[in-house]
Amino acid sequence: MRVIAGDYKGRPLASVPGRGTRPTTDKVKESIFNIIGPYFDGGWALDLYAGTGGLGIEALSRGADKAIFVDADPKAVSIVKQNLAALKLEGRAEVYRIDAARALRALAKRQLVFDLVFLDPPYAKQQIALELQVLQEAGLLSSECRVVAEHDAGVILPERVGDCSVQRSASYGDTAVTIYGF
């Protein structure tokens, strides 16, 4: 079954009220999945700054086995849970209300390994290069992992972070997407 980004069987995702969350637009989401592959053959995804959960939910709808959603905002966590329930994806997801740094430490203790990671932090709080380094040092990335970083178009991320290098980068107005891999 072909799933269009943001469509989820004809149901739009609920959004987080207020201005604290900047959801990924459908255009950017569709572009991301066109770049990293329209479908997945299993694997685990991590949506580290989940917001509405749109990126992780899209990965699940395209074949990821399981996704972990992390956000520090209680409203965002509630919306992620609501969206997962509406799409009957709760059994393939874990949702945590915790800050990113603590989440990475907890995931490392569980010795989880991810095939796909989404980093879409609030633009004012971005530490993408540092988080990518922590993900590698903690052993959280599979050898085939792709890390999708969404950031302000004015920010130029390093070409290489640890063993990961930029595989593709694209801008969409004020938003840029940089994809890292091994």
Side-chain angles (χ1 to χ4, degrees):
M1 171 176 67
R2 173 112 169 90
V3 178
I4 309 276
D7 184 30
Y8 313 109
K9 303 176 188 170
R11 292 173 278 204
L13 295 178
S15 60
V16 181
R19 296 177 178 232
T21 300
R22 174 193 33 79
T24 302
T25 66
D26 286 345
K27 175 185 172 186
V28 173
K29 195 181 311 176
E30 186 67 27
S31 295
I32 288 169
F33 284 92
N34 283 339
I35 292 168
I36 65 174
Y39 301 102
F40 307 109
D41 187 20
W44 282 53
L46 171 62
D47 195 343
L48 193 57
Y49 297 89
T52 64
L55 292 170
I57 288 171
E58 189 73 31
L60 288 171
S61 76
R62 292 173 183 250
D65 290 326
K66 189 154 187 164
I68 293 182
F69 299 84
V70 174
D71 206 296
D73 180 352
K75 292 178 193 169
V77 168
S78 177
I79 292 296
V80 171
K81 289 178 179 179
Q82 179 182 331
N83 285 331
L84 289 166
L87 298 167
K88 300 185 181 355
L89 293 171
E90 310 99 297
R92 296 172 51 204
E94 296 176 24
V95 183
Y96 298 100
R97 186 176 73 82
I98 188 172
D99 69 74
R102 288 180 60 207
L104 292 176
R105 288 192 299 273
L107 295 170
K109 283 182 184 175
R110 289 177 59 189
Q111 298 182 333
L112 296 177
V113 177
F114 297 96
D115 304 291
L116 186 57
V117 175
F118 298 104
L119 298 176
D120 184 12
Y123 286 173
K125 298 180 180 180
Q126 290 190 339
Q127 299 180 21
I128 291 170
L130 174 63
E131 288 167 341
L132 183 53
Q133 187 68 41
V134 170
L135 284 159
Q136 290 176 75
E137 289 171 358
L140 291 168
L141 306 179
S142 76
S143 61
E144 302 294 318
C145 185
R146 284 161 295 175
V147 177
V148 178
E150 189 175 331
H151 54 93
D152 185 280
V155 173
I156 307 298
L157 294 176
E159 195 64 33
R160 187 165 197 78
V161 177
D163 292 331
C164 289
S165 60
V166 173
Q167 295 190 335
R168 184 121 178 231
S169 187
S171 291
Y172 309 92
D174 293 340
T175 299
V177 174
T178 301
I179 299 171
Y180 285 91
F182 291 100

